Amino acid sequence: MPGKSKKTKKVQKKFVLDCTHPAEDKIMDPSDFATYLNEKIKVAGKTGNLGTNVIIQKEAFKVNILSDIPFSKRYLKYLTKKYLKKQWYQRRVAVGTFFFFQMNTIN
């Protein structure tokens, strides 16, 4: 039927990064992390080009990322690890939650 057109659904992805444990131990600041993501996320090959396609929100100890365009969890994980290396802390990153190791010195 030539008169019909298919409507494409707008898929919105939501990622929630819970920074509760590192923030309570004063290892990292969630607002600083949100601004880092705001500066570093690339849209159409350019940083700082978020527009209305990607929205970054900070709520207490959580960082919410809403995306109307294809956005991979792997890219978000990459940026998170890059931020943590920048902060000079060693920790493992699991999906959605930060797990970290406390380093204690033994005399």
Side-chain angles (χ1 to χ4, degrees), residues 32-92:
D32 184 39
F33 179 56
T35 55
Y36 176 81
L37 288 176
N38 206 358
E39 294 169 358
K40 297 294 181 178
I41 289 179
K42 287 186 178 182
V43 176
K46 297 179 183 178
T47 58
N49 188 22
L50 299 180
T52 58
N53 296 328
V54 180
I55 300 169
I56 300 173
Q57 302 169 339
K58 184 197 156 287
E59 297 176 4
F61 295 126
K62 295 183 181 183
V63 178
N64 298 327
I65 300 165
L66 302 170
S67 175
D68 292 335
I69 58 174
F71 195 80
S72 70
K73 187 172 23 175
R74 181 175 289 183
Y75 180 60
L76 188 59
K77 200 170 180 179
Y78 163 76
L79 286 175
T80 305
K81 285 184 179 182
K82 196 171 178 182
Y83 172 78
L84 293 175
K85 284 183 181 180
K86 180 184 167 192
Q87 296 296 320
W88 291 99
Y89 294 110
Q90 295 282 331
R91 60 183 70 62
R92 290 178 53 207

Tab-separated table of all heavy atoms in Angstrom, residues 32-92:
chain	number	residue	atom	x	y	z
A	32	ASP	N	31.269	16.687	40.096
A	32	ASP	CA	32.467	16.813	39.264
A	32	ASP	C	32.453	15.756	38.152
A	32	ASP	O	32.833	16.035	37.015
A	32	ASP	CB	33.714	16.660	40.137
A	32	ASP	CG	34.993	16.882	39.353
A	32	ASP	OD1	35.013	17.787	38.499
A	32	ASP	OD2	35.971	16.153	39.612
A	33	PHE	N	32.006	14.560	38.490
A	33	PHE	CA	31.908	13.482	37.504
A	33	PHE	C	30.878	13.821	36.429
A	33	PHE	O	31.093	13.579	35.242
A	33	PHE	CB	31.555	12.171	38.212
A	33	PHE	CG	31.415	10.989	37.299
A	33	PHE	CD1	32.431	10.612	36.454
A	33	PHE	CD2	30.252	10.246	37.293
A	33	PHE	CE1	32.314	9.525	35.612
A	33	PHE	CE2	30.112	9.158	36.453
A	33	PHE	CZ	31.148	8.805	35.617
A	34	ALA	N	29.755	14.431	36.829
A	34	ALA	CA	28.717	14.818	35.868
A	34	ALA	C	29.232	15.891	34.912
A	34	ALA	O	28.971	15.834	33.704
A	34	ALA	CB	27.472	15.304	36.602
A	35	THR	N	29.994	16.853	35.424
A	35	THR	CA	30.559	17.879	34.540
A	35	THR	C	31.616	17.277	33.621
A	35	THR	O	31.729	17.687	32.455
A	35	THR	CB	31.173	19.046	35.335
A	35	THR	OG1	32.132	18.532	36.246
A	35	THR	CG2	30.115	19.817	36.071
A	36	TYR	N	32.388	16.307	34.113
A	36	TYR	CA	33.376	15.621	33.270
A	36	TYR	C	32.672	14.914	32.109
A	36	TYR	O	33.107	15.015	30.963
A	36	TYR	CB	34.168	14.613	34.109
A	36	TYR	CG	35.144	13.797	33.301
A	36	TYR	CD1	36.381	14.313	32.958
A	36	TYR	CD2	34.827	12.516	32.878
A	36	TYR	CE1	37.279	13.570	32.215
A	36	TYR	CE2	35.708	11.765	32.133
A	36	TYR	CZ	36.944	12.294	31.807
A	36	TYR	OH	37.827	11.560	31.060
A	37	LEU	N	31.586	14.195	32.408
A	37	LEU	CA	30.843	13.519	31.345
A	37	LEU	C	30.254	14.524	30.363
A	37	LEU	O	30.242	14.290	29.159
A	37	LEU	CB	29.728	12.661	31.946
A	37	LEU	CG	30.157	11.400	32.679
A	37	LEU	CD1	28.939	10.722	33.291
A	37	LEU	CD2	30.881	10.449	31.759
A	38	ASN	N	29.780	15.648	30.877
A	38	ASN	CA	29.206	16.677	30.027
A	38	ASN	C	30.240	17.226	29.042
A	38	ASN	O	29.924	17.549	27.904
A	38	ASN	CB	28.661	17.811	30.896
A	38	ASN	CG	27.548	18.560	30.230
A	38	ASN	OD1	27.191	18.283	29.102
A	38	ASN	ND2	26.996	19.517	30.939
A	39	GLU	N	31.489	17.316	29.471
A	39	GLU	CA	32.556	17.820	28.613
A	39	GLU	C	33.068	16.775	27.636
A	39	GLU	O	33.482	17.108	26.533
A	39	GLU	CB	33.727	18.300	29.465
A	39	GLU	CG	33.424	19.497	30.321
A	39	GLU	CD	34.524	19.775	31.325
A	39	GLU	OE1	35.499	19.004	31.379
A	39	GLU	OE2	34.397	20.768	32.059
A	40	LYS	N	33.070	15.493	28.019
A	40	LYS	CA	33.766	14.468	27.249
A	40	LYS	C	32.896	13.611	26.333
A	40	LYS	O	33.421	12.966	25.438
A	40	LYS	CB	34.519	13.528	28.202
A	40	LYS	CG	35.604	14.211	29.001
A	40	LYS	CD	36.721	14.689	28.115
A	40	LYS	CE	37.807	15.352	28.932
A	40	LYS	NZ	38.930	15.782	28.133
A	41	ILE	N	31.589	13.564	26.549
A	41	ILE	CA	30.742	12.711	25.704
A	41	ILE	C	30.693	13.281	24.296
A	41	ILE	O	30.447	14.471	24.101
A	41	ILE	CB	29.322	12.573	26.294
A	41	ILE	CG1	29.377	11.720	27.558
A	41	ILE	CG2	28.364	11.958	25.286
A	41	ILE	CD1	28.045	11.537	28.240
A	42	LYS	N	30.949	12.413	23.327
A	42	LYS	CA	30.938	12.826	21.923
A	42	LYS	C	29.587	12.497	21.286
A	42	LYS	O	29.083	11.397	21.427
A	42	LYS	CB	32.023	12.095	21.142
A	42	LYS	CG	33.412	12.564	21.416
A	42	LYS	CD	34.395	11.888	20.496
A	42	LYS	CE	35.788	12.379	20.720
A	42	LYS	NZ	36.748	11.761	19.801
A	43	VAL	N	29.044	13.467	20.568
A	43	VAL	CA	27.835	13.271	19.767
A	43	VAL	C	28.190	13.727	18.361
A	43	VAL	O	28.653	14.851	18.170
A	43	VAL	CB	26.645	14.075	20.328
A	43	VAL	CG1	25.435	13.945	19.423
A	43	VAL	CG2	26.304	13.614	21.735
A	44	ALA	N	28.015	12.859	17.407
A	44	ALA	CA	28.350	13.125	15.999
A	44	ALA	C	29.823	13.476	15.849
A	44	ALA	O	30.198	14.338	15.068
A	44	ALA	CB	27.464	14.210	15.420
A	45	GLY	N	30.682	12.833	16.638
A	45	GLY	CA	32.120	13.011	16.516
A	45	GLY	C	32.688	14.261	17.159
A	45	GLY	O	33.868	14.551	17.008
A	46	LYS	N	31.873	15.011	17.903
A	46	LYS	CA	32.344	16.247	18.527
A	46	LYS	C	32.025	16.242	20.010
A	46	LYS	O	30.926	15.872	20.417
A	46	LYS	CB	31.684	17.467	17.881
A	46	LYS	CG	32.028	17.636	16.417
A	46	LYS	CD	31.325	18.835	15.845
A	46	LYS	CE	31.616	18.946	14.363
A	46	LYS	NZ	30.899	20.072	13.765
A	47	THR	N	32.991	16.650	20.834
A	47	THR	CA	32.746	16.754	22.266
A	47	THR	C	31.999	18.049	22.552
A	47	THR	O	32.128	19.044	21.838
A	47	THR	CB	34.066	16.750	23.065
A	47	THR	OG1	34.874	17.826	22.608
A	47	THR	CG2	34.806	15.450	22.910
A	48	GLY	N	31.206	18.022	23.615
A	48	GLY	CA	30.441	19.205	23.999
A	48	GLY	C	29.290	19.513	23.060
A	48	GLY	O	28.779	20.622	23.039
A	49	ASN	N	28.849	18.530	22.291
A	49	ASN	CA	27.793	18.717	21.307
A	49	ASN	C	26.544	17.926	21.721
A	49	ASN	O	25.931	17.271	20.911
A	49	ASN	CB	28.304	18.254	19.934
A	49	ASN	CG	27.350	18.578	18.816
A	49	ASN	OD1	26.530	19.461	18.938
A	49	ASN	ND2	27.456	17.834	17.741
A	50	LEU	N	26.185	17.984	23.008
A	50	LEU	CA	25.100	17.156	23.516
A	50	LEU	C	23.732	17.597	22.997
A	50	LEU	O	22.917	16.770	22.615
A	50	LEU	CB	25.090	17.157	25.045
A	50	LEU	CG	26.333	16.608	25.722
A	50	LEU	CD1	26.159	16.678	27.226
A	50	LEU	CD2	26.625	15.209	25.285
A	51	GLY	N	23.470	18.876	22.995
A	51	GLY	CA	22.176	19.392	22.548
A	51	GLY	C	21.047	18.811	23.387
A	51	GLY	O	21.137	18.714	24.602
A	52	THR	N	19.967	18.392	22.725
A	52	THR	CA	18.854	17.775	23.433
A	52	THR	C	18.886	16.261	23.286
A	52	THR	O	18.006	15.575	23.791
A	52	THR	CB	17.513	18.310	22.890
A	52	THR	OG1	17.446	18.030	21.492
A	52	THR	CG2	17.382	19.795	23.123
A	53	ASN	N	19.907	15.748	22.604
A	53	ASN	CA	20.002	14.302	22.392
A	53	ASN	C	20.455	13.548	23.630
A	53	ASN	O	20.010	12.442	23.886
A	53	ASN	CB	20.962	13.992	21.242
A	53	ASN	CG	20.460	14.527	19.927
A	53	ASN	OD1	19.258	14.578	19.703
A	53	ASN	ND2	21.368	14.945	19.080
A	54	VAL	N	21.363	14.125	24.395
A	54	VAL	CA	21.882	13.494	25.604
A	54	VAL	C	21.708	14.466	26.762
A	54	VAL	O	22.125	15.616	26.688
A	54	VAL	CB	23.376	13.121	25.446
A	54	VAL	CG1	23.899	12.476	26.712
A	54	VAL	CG2	23.573	12.187	24.268
A	55	ILE	N	21.084	13.976	27.831
A	55	ILE	CA	20.835	14.802	29.014
A	55	ILE	C	21.522	14.148	30.199
A	55	ILE	O	21.333	12.951	30.455
A	55	ILE	CB	19.323	14.940	29.286
A	55	ILE	CG1	18.641	15.597	28.092
A	55	ILE	CG2	19.073	15.742	30.551
A	55	ILE	CD1	17.127	15.545	28.144
A	56	ILE	N	22.313	14.924	30.922
A	56	ILE	CA	23.015	14.425	32.108
A	56	ILE	C	22.447	15.150	33.316
A	56	ILE	O	22.446	16.378	33.377
A	56	ILE	CB	24.525	14.664	31.997
A	56	ILE	CG1	25.072	13.932	30.773
A	56	ILE	CG2	25.234	14.196	33.259
A	56	ILE	CD1	26.505	14.221	30.458
A	57	GLN	N	21.951	14.359	34.289
A	57	GLN	CA	21.358	14.920	35.505
A	57	GLN	C	22.058	14.333	36.711
A	57	GLN	O	22.456	13.176	36.704
A	57	GLN	CB	19.880	14.574	35.594
A	57	GLN	CG	19.055	15.050	34.436
A	57	GLN	CD	17.664	14.453	34.451
A	57	GLN	OE1	17.425	13.427	35.058
A	57	GLN	NE2	16.743	15.109	33.756
A	58	LYS	N	22.183	15.131	37.765
A	58	LYS	CA	22.765	14.652	39.017
A	58	LYS	C	21.697	14.722	40.101
A	58	LYS	O	21.076	15.752	40.295
A	58	LYS	CB	23.956	15.512	39.408
A	58	LYS	CG	24.666	15.008	40.636
A	58	LYS	CD	25.544	16.108	41.195
A	58	LYS	CE	25.815	15.909	42.642
A	58	LYS	NZ	24.734	16.159	43.546
A	59	GLU	N	21.475	13.590	40.763
A	59	GLU	CA	20.521	13.523	41.870
A	59	GLU	C	21.236	12.910	43.064
A	59	GLU	O	21.554	11.731	43.048
A	59	GLU	CB	19.330	12.646	41.504
A	59	GLU	CG	18.500	13.153	40.352
A	59	GLU	CD	17.394	12.188	39.979
A	59	GLU	OE1	17.230	11.169	40.668
A	59	GLU	OE2	16.713	12.451	38.982
A	60	ALA	N	21.492	13.713	44.072
A	60	ALA	CA	22.189	13.279	45.286
A	60	ALA	C	23.503	12.586	44.913
A	60	ALA	O	24.424	13.245	44.451
A	60	ALA	CB	21.296	12.407	46.136
A	61	PHE	N	23.585	11.258	45.074
A	61	PHE	CA	24.815	10.524	44.761
A	61	PHE	C	24.698	9.745	43.456
A	61	PHE	O	25.508	8.867	43.192
A	61	PHE	CB	25.167	9.566	45.894
A	61	PHE	CG	25.518	10.253	47.181
A	61	PHE	CD1	24.868	9.938	48.348
A	61	PHE	CD2	26.499	11.226	47.210
A	61	PHE	CE1	25.186	10.570	49.538
A	61	PHE	CE2	26.830	11.866	48.388
A	61	PHE	CZ	26.172	11.545	49.558
A	62	LYS	N	23.709	10.041	42.642
A	62	LYS	CA	23.510	9.321	41.384
A	62	LYS	C	23.629	10.275	40.203
A	62	LYS	O	23.251	11.432	40.290
A	62	LYS	CB	22.140	8.642	41.357
A	62	LYS	CG	22.009	7.555	42.386
A	62	LYS	CD	20.690	6.860	42.279
A	62	LYS	CE	20.611	5.779	43.358
A	62	LYS	NZ	19.393	5.023	43.256
A	63	VAL	N	24.164	9.740	39.106
A	63	VAL	CA	24.257	10.493	37.855
A	63	VAL	C	23.392	9.767	36.831
A	63	VAL	O	23.619	8.591	36.549
A	63	VAL	CB	25.718	10.595	37.369
A	63	VAL	CG1	25.783	11.334	36.048
A	63	VAL	CG2	26.588	11.282	38.408
A	64	ASN	N	22.382	10.460	36.303
A	64	ASN	CA	21.473	9.885	35.314
A	64	ASN	C	21.831	10.411	33.932
A	64	ASN	O	22.049	11.613	33.758
A	64	ASN	CB	20.022	10.253	35.622
A	64	ASN	CG	19.576	9.718	36.956
A	64	ASN	OD1	20.010	8.663	37.386
A	64	ASN	ND2	18.708	10.451	37.626
A	65	ILE	N	21.858	9.506	32.963
A	65	ILE	CA	22.143	9.883	31.583
A	65	ILE	C	20.991	9.391	30.723
A	65	ILE	O	20.719	8.195	30.675
A	65	ILE	CB	23.472	9.282	31.114
A	65	ILE	CG1	24.593	9.797	32.005
A	65	ILE	CG2	23.739	9.623	29.659
A	65	ILE	CD1	25.857	9.043	31.904
A	66	LEU	N	20.316	10.317	30.055
A	66	LEU	CA	19.205	10.000	29.159
A	66	LEU	C	19.662	10.291	27.735
A	66	LEU	O	20.199	11.356	27.455
A	66	LEU	CB	17.988	10.858	29.487
A	66	LEU	CG	17.456	10.751	30.901
A	66	LEU	CD1	16.422	11.834	31.149
A	66	LEU	CD2	16.854	9.403	31.127
A	67	SER	N	19.441	9.325	26.837
A	67	SER	CA	19.910	9.476	25.467
A	67	SER	C	18.797	9.144	24.482
A	67	SER	O	18.145	8.114	24.595
A	67	SER	CB	21.106	8.565	25.236
A	67	SER	OG	21.500	8.597	23.897
A	68	ASP	N	18.600	10.018	23.506
A	68	ASP	CA	17.638	9.775	22.436
A	68	ASP	C	18.305	9.173	21.206
A	68	ASP	O	17.631	8.780	20.270
A	68	ASP	CB	16.951	11.081	22.035
A	68	ASP	CG	16.050	11.622	23.130
A	68	ASP	OD1	15.594	10.818	23.961
A	68	ASP	OD2	15.817	12.845	23.151
A	69	ILE	N	19.617	9.139	21.199
A	69	ILE	CA	20.377	8.595	20.078
A	69	ILE	C	21.042	7.299	20.528
A	69	ILE	O	21.125	7.027	21.727
A	69	ILE	CB	21.433	9.610	19.586
A	69	ILE	CG1	22.376	9.996	20.716
A	69	ILE	CG2	20.773	10.832	18.995
A	69	ILE	CD1	23.528	10.868	20.291
A	70	PRO	N	21.523	6.486	19.606
A	70	PRO	CA	22.223	5.264	20.023
A	70	PRO	C	23.433	5.598	20.893
A	70	PRO	O	24.280	6.406	20.515
A	70	PRO	CB	22.666	4.638	18.701
A	70	PRO	CG	21.752	5.206	17.679
A	70	PRO	CD	21.380	6.580	18.163
A	71	PHE	N	23.465	5.006	22.065
A	71	PHE	CA	24.502	5.306	23.060
A	71	PHE	C	24.863	4.000	23.731
A	71	PHE	O	23.995	3.308	24.257
A	71	PHE	CB	23.932	6.302	24.075
A	71	PHE	CG	24.963	6.954	24.936
A	71	PHE	CD1	25.711	8.007	24.462
A	71	PHE	CD2	25.175	6.520	26.218
A	71	PHE	CE1	26.644	8.621	25.259
A	71	PHE	CE2	26.109	7.109	27.028
A	71	PHE	CZ	26.852	8.181	26.545
A	72	SER	N	26.126	3.635	23.728
A	72	SER	CA	26.514	2.330	24.262
A	72	SER	C	26.955	2.422	25.718
A	72	SER	O	27.526	3.422	26.159
A	72	SER	CB	27.637	1.721	23.423
A	72	SER	OG	28.830	2.439	23.615
A	73	LYS	N	26.673	1.366	26.419
A	73	LYS	CA	27.085	1.249	27.806
A	73	LYS	C	28.603	1.141	27.890
A	73	LYS	O	29.227	1.622	28.827
A	73	LYS	CB	26.418	0.004	28.402
A	73	LYS	CG	26.620	-0.152	29.868
A	73	LYS	CD	25.791	-1.275	30.490
A	73	LYS	CE	25.336	-2.359	29.594
A	73	LYS	NZ	24.654	-3.454	30.278
A	74	ARG	N	29.197	0.535	26.881
A	74	ARG	CA	30.648	0.366	26.840
A	74	ARG	C	31.352	1.727	26.767
A	74	ARG	O	32.378	1.935	27.402
A	74	ARG	CB	31.047	-0.484	25.645
A	74	ARG	CG	32.526	-0.717	25.553
A	74	ARG	CD	32.847	-1.650	24.443
A	74	ARG	NE	32.402	-2.985	24.810
A	74	ARG	CZ	32.595	-4.049	24.072
A	74	ARG	NH1	33.193	-3.949	22.914
A	74	ARG	NH2	32.175	-5.227	24.475
A	75	TYR	N	30.822	2.673	26.005
A	75	TYR	CA	31.406	4.005	25.899
A	75	TYR	C	31.320	4.730	27.234
A	75	TYR	O	32.263	5.399	27.658
A	75	TYR	CB	30.702	4.810	24.811
A	75	TYR	CG	31.234	6.206	24.629
A	75	TYR	CD1	32.566	6.416	24.288
A	75	TYR	CD2	30.420	7.307	24.805
A	75	TYR	CE1	33.061	7.690	24.125
A	75	TYR	CE2	30.901	8.587	24.641
A	75	TYR	CZ	32.226	8.783	24.306
A	75	TYR	OH	32.714	10.046	24.149
A	76	LEU	N	30.212	4.578	27.920
A	76	LEU	CA	30.042	5.191	29.234
A	76	LEU	C	31.016	4.582	30.244
A	76	LEU	O	31.607	5.288	31.059
A	76	LEU	CB	28.600	5.009	29.703
A	76	LEU	CG	28.197	5.743	30.952
A	76	LEU	CD1	28.394	7.238	30.782
A	76	LEU	CD2	26.761	5.447	31.267
A	77	LYS	N	31.204	3.280	30.161
A	77	LYS	CA	32.148	2.591	31.029
A	77	LYS	C	33.576	3.059	30.741
A	77	LYS	O	34.369	3.271	31.657
A	77	LYS	CB	32.019	1.082	30.804
A	77	LYS	CG	32.539	0.230	31.902
A	77	LYS	CD	32.132	-1.210	31.660
A	77	LYS	CE	32.640	-2.101	32.733
A	77	LYS	NZ	32.243	-3.491	32.534
A	78	TYR	N	33.901	3.262	29.468
A	78	TYR	CA	35.219	3.761	29.065
A	78	TYR	C	35.475	5.142	29.662
A	78	TYR	O	36.544	5.407	30.216
A	78	TYR	CB	35.303	3.798	27.536
A	78	TYR	CG	36.425	4.642	26.999
A	78	TYR	CD1	37.736	4.188	27.025
A	78	TYR	CD2	36.166	5.907	26.473
A	78	TYR	CE1	38.763	4.973	26.537
A	78	TYR	CE2	37.189	6.685	25.984
A	78	TYR	CZ	38.487	6.221	26.018
A	78	TYR	OH	39.502	7.001	25.540
A	79	LEU	N	34.499	6.039	29.550
A	79	LEU	CA	34.660	7.382	30.091
A	79	LEU	C	34.786	7.367	31.615
A	79	LEU	O	35.531	8.151	32.192
A	79	LEU	CB	33.487	8.266	29.676
A	79	LEU	CG	33.472	8.713	28.220
A	79	LEU	CD1	32.193	9.468	27.918
A	79	LEU	CD2	34.678	9.555	27.899
A	80	THR	N	34.066	6.456	32.258
A	80	THR	CA	34.134	6.347	33.714
A	80	THR	C	35.519	5.897	34.145
A	80	THR	O	36.104	6.459	35.078
A	80	THR	CB	33.068	5.367	34.228
A	80	THR	OG1	31.800	5.788	33.754
A	80	THR	CG2	33.054	5.314	35.734
A	81	LYS	N	36.065	4.885	33.474
A	81	LYS	CA	37.414	4.418	33.810
A	81	LYS	C	38.444	5.509	33.558
A	81	LYS	O	39.387	5.675	34.322
A	81	LYS	CB	37.759	3.179	32.994
A	81	LYS	CG	37.068	1.940	33.476
A	81	LYS	CD	37.516	0.738	32.684
A	81	LYS	CE	36.829	-0.513	33.184
A	81	LYS	NZ	37.289	-1.697	32.458
A	82	LYS	N	38.265	6.269	32.493
A	82	LYS	CA	39.176	7.357	32.181
A	82	LYS	C	39.124	8.432	33.266
A	82	LYS	O	40.156	8.973	33.667
A	82	LYS	CB	38.794	7.946	30.818
A	82	LYS	CG	39.838	8.804	30.204
A	82	LYS	CD	39.440	9.134	28.782
A	82	LYS	CE	40.462	10.045	28.160
A	82	LYS	NZ	40.105	10.423	26.809
A	83	TYR	N	37.928	8.721	33.770
A	83	TYR	CA	37.782	9.691	34.861
A	83	TYR	C	38.466	9.186	36.130
A	83	TYR	O	39.152	9.944	36.810
A	83	TYR	CB	36.297	9.954	35.132
A	83	TYR	CG	36.052	10.792	36.356
A	83	TYR	CD1	36.232	12.166	36.318
A	83	TYR	CD2	35.651	10.213	37.550
A	83	TYR	CE1	36.021	12.946	37.432
A	83	TYR	CE2	35.436	10.985	38.673
A	83	TYR	CZ	35.620	12.342	38.612
A	83	TYR	OH	35.417	13.117	39.718
A	84	LEU	N	38.272	7.912	36.429
A	84	LEU	CA	38.858	7.363	37.649
A	84	LEU	C	40.382	7.325	37.559
A	84	LEU	O	41.074	7.558	38.547
A	84	LEU	CB	38.298	5.966	37.916
A	84	LEU	CG	36.809	5.943	38.257
A	84	LEU	CD1	36.325	4.509	38.382
A	84	LEU	CD2	36.523	6.718	39.514
A	85	LYS	N	40.923	7.044	36.388
A	85	LYS	CA	42.376	7.082	36.219
A	85	LYS	C	42.882	8.509	36.384
A	85	LYS	O	43.969	8.730	36.916
A	85	LYS	CB	42.774	6.537	34.855
A	85	LYS	CG	42.702	5.037	34.787
A	85	LYS	CD	43.180	4.543	33.446
A	85	LYS	CE	43.077	3.033	33.384
A	85	LYS	NZ	43.529	2.516	32.093
A	86	LYS	N	42.083	9.454	35.917
A	86	LYS	CA	42.447	10.852	36.076
A	86	LYS	C	42.495	11.224	37.555
A	86	LYS	O	43.312	12.022	37.976
A	86	LYS	CB	41.432	11.728	35.344
A	86	LYS	CG	41.698	13.204	35.433
A	86	LYS	CD	40.599	13.973	34.756
A	86	LYS	CE	40.707	15.437	35.117
A	86	LYS	NZ	39.528	16.178	34.732
A	87	GLN	N	41.642	10.650	38.345
A	87	GLN	CA	41.578	10.938	39.780
A	87	GLN	C	42.624	10.168	40.585
A	87	GLN	O	42.700	10.290	41.786
A	87	GLN	CB	40.181	10.624	40.325
A	87	GLN	CG	39.088	11.468	39.745
A	87	GLN	CD	39.257	12.928	40.083
A	87	GLN	OE1	39.634	13.274	41.182
A	87	GLN	NE2	38.998	13.788	39.114
A	88	TRP	N	43.403	9.326	39.940
A	88	TRP	CA	44.471	8.530	40.570
A	88	TRP	C	43.976	7.547	41.628
A	88	TRP	O	44.590	7.328	42.645
A	88	TRP	CB	45.531	9.433	41.194
A	88	TRP	CG	46.318	10.164	40.196
A	88	TRP	CD1	46.131	11.437	39.802
A	88	TRP	CD2	47.407	9.669	39.416
A	88	TRP	NE1	47.026	11.773	38.832
A	88	TRP	CE2	47.833	10.699	38.589
A	88	TRP	CE3	48.055	8.440	39.356
A	88	TRP	CZ2	48.874	10.557	37.701
A	88	TRP	CZ3	49.101	8.305	38.470
A	88	TRP	CH2	49.502	9.352	37.658
A	89	TYR	N	42.845	6.902	41.384
A	89	TYR	CA	42.348	5.885	42.290
A	89	TYR	C	42.200	4.576	41.537
A	89	TYR	O	41.831	4.552	40.374
A	89	TYR	CB	40.994	6.265	42.886
A	89	TYR	CG	41.071	7.473	43.779
A	89	TYR	CD1	40.506	8.670	43.394
A	89	TYR	CD2	41.719	7.404	44.992
A	89	TYR	CE1	40.584	9.782	44.205
A	89	TYR	CE2	41.790	8.508	45.808
A	89	TYR	CZ	41.230	9.692	45.409
A	89	TYR	OH	41.306	10.780	46.208
A	90	GLN	N	42.472	3.478	42.214
A	90	GLN	CA	42.307	2.159	41.619
A	90	GLN	C	40.973	1.590	42.085
A	90	GLN	O	40.707	1.504	43.264
A	90	GLN	CB	43.420	1.218	42.095
A	90	GLN	CG	44.787	1.604	41.646
A	90	GLN	CD	45.028	1.214	40.210
A	90	GLN	OE1	44.450	0.259	39.737
A	90	GLN	NE2	45.851	1.967	39.524
A	91	ARG	N	40.136	1.206	41.154
A	91	ARG	CA	38.875	0.549	41.507
A	91	ARG	C	38.324	-0.168	40.292
A	91	ARG	O	38.701	0.099	39.172
A	91	ARG	CB	37.859	1.527	42.075
A	91	ARG	CG	37.466	2.646	41.153
A	91	ARG	CD	36.531	3.605	41.793
A	91	ARG	NE	37.005	4.454	42.835
A	91	ARG	CZ	37.949	5.371	42.758
A	91	ARG	NH1	38.623	5.517	41.667
A	91	ARG	NH2	38.222	6.131	43.772
A	92	ARG	N	37.464	-1.080	40.552
A	92	ARG	CA	36.795	-1.792	39.475
A	92	ARG	C	35.467	-1.127	39.196
A	92	ARG	O	34.802	-0.637	40.091
A	92	ARG	CB	36.536	-3.238	39.892
A	92	ARG	CG	37.792	-4.075	39.997
A	92	ARG	CD	37.504	-5.466	40.456
A	92	ARG	NE	36.477	-6.065	39.608
A	92	ARG	CZ	35.659	-7.002	40.013
A	92	ARG	NH1	35.734	-7.460	41.223
A	92	ARG	NH2	34.768	-7.505	39.208
